[in-house]
Amino acid sequence: LPKRGFKNPGRVEFQVVKVGRLSAAPAGAVVDQVWLRSQRIVRRPGPIKLLAGGEIKVALTVRVDATSGAAQQAIEAAGGKVEVPAARV
């Protein structure tokens, strides 16, 4: 019989947001799932992952489900902070 592939039941599909897309936020703002939906940066329900790409010049507090190391460094270099739930680190 031919092999048909494999479906991983434990896979988590993240919605990807790049750091450069957050430049529309005012300085000191809290960027979370509600803000990202209101700005139409994310549209589907589910976890969100922040990836490096682009520049950010304002200090933000970002609350997402996961982040890359480079994206976290970019936010912290601009004076902001990243809050990730402990289960997703």
Side-chain angles (χ1 to χ4, degrees):
L1 293 174
K3 300 208 178 206
R4 290 286 187 162
F6 175 76
K7 182 167 174 79
N8 186 354
R11 179 181 171 158
V12 178
E13 290 202 28
F14 289 98
Q15 294 182 80
V16 175
V17 175
K18 296 202 175 185
V19 171
R21 299 284 309 265
L22 304 181
S23 62
V30 175
V31 175
D32 56 0
Q33 191 168 15
V34 174
W35 187 86
L36 292 169
R37 282 186 192 279
S38 70
Q39 298 296 312
R40 295 194 171 267
I41 294 174
V42 296
R43 296 178 187 237
R44 295 181 287 128
I48 299 169
K49 184 169 186 173
L50 184 66
L51 297 179
E55 292 183 14
I56 188 159
K57 306 252 188 225
V58 295
L60 301 172
T61 301
V62 181
R63 294 183 184 140
V64 291
D65 297 301
T67 182
S68 68
Q72 187 168 355
Q73 288 176 354
I75 295 291
E76 291 171 353
K81 65 179 182 173
V82 177
E83 297 175 359
V84 179
R88 299 266 187 203
V89 173

